Amino acid sequence: MHKIKIFFNKIIRLFQYAPIIWENEDWDYYHFISLIEFKLKRMKNCLDEYYTDGQGKKNEVRKQIDKTLDAINKYNNEI
């Protein structure tokens, strides 16, 4: 049963990533940055559920993700 759930979650994830991948071009760095931003937001949302190294490290990872997302937003606003 667990393997079936994992399989369907992967199928759902494919559809969630599809719009970003569809717009991607090999020469276009902007969509690469969009992909990184999308992934970091997803990682941040899943920290509480999946991160098991303790609360202090979880908060540190969250701060690092926020710092990276802030840098991406700053970069996007300069374009």
Side-chain angles (χ1 to χ4, degrees), residues 2 7 9-10 13-14 17 22 30 33 36 45 68-71 77-79:
H2 184 67
F7 175 78
N9 283 339
K10 289 182 185 266
R13 201 170 315 127
L14 281 173
Y17 276 92
W22 184 262
Y30 177 77
I33 293 171
I36 293 171
N45 289 337
T68 305
L69 289 172
D70 289 342
N77 289 333
E78 291 177 0
I79 294 178

Side-chain angles (χ1 to χ4, degrees), residues 20-78:
I20 291 175
I21 294 171
W22 184 262
E23 296 295 324
N24 183 41
E25 295 291 341
D26 290 338
W27 50 266
D28 191 359
Y29 64 89
Y30 177 77
H31 285 94
F32 178 66
I33 293 171
S34 297
L35 178 63
I36 293 171
E37 181 180 22
F38 182 77
K39 177 65 177 175
L40 286 172
K41 287 178 180 177
R42 290 176 61 92
M43 288 172 62
K44 186 177 174 185
N45 289 337
C46 292
L47 277 177
D48 292 330
E49 187 174 349
Y50 296 105
Y51 200 82
T52 59
D53 273 354
Q55 189 64 29
K57 290 194 178 230
K58 187 187 309 183
N59 289 335
E60 181 62 30
V61 170
R62 188 174 276 116
K63 286 178 189 177
Q64 291 172 357
I65 289 173
D66 286 336
K67 186 177 178 180
T68 305
L69 289 172
D70 289 342
I72 289 171
N73 287 332
K74 182 179 176 183
Y75 178 79
N76 286 340
N77 289 333
E78 291 177 0

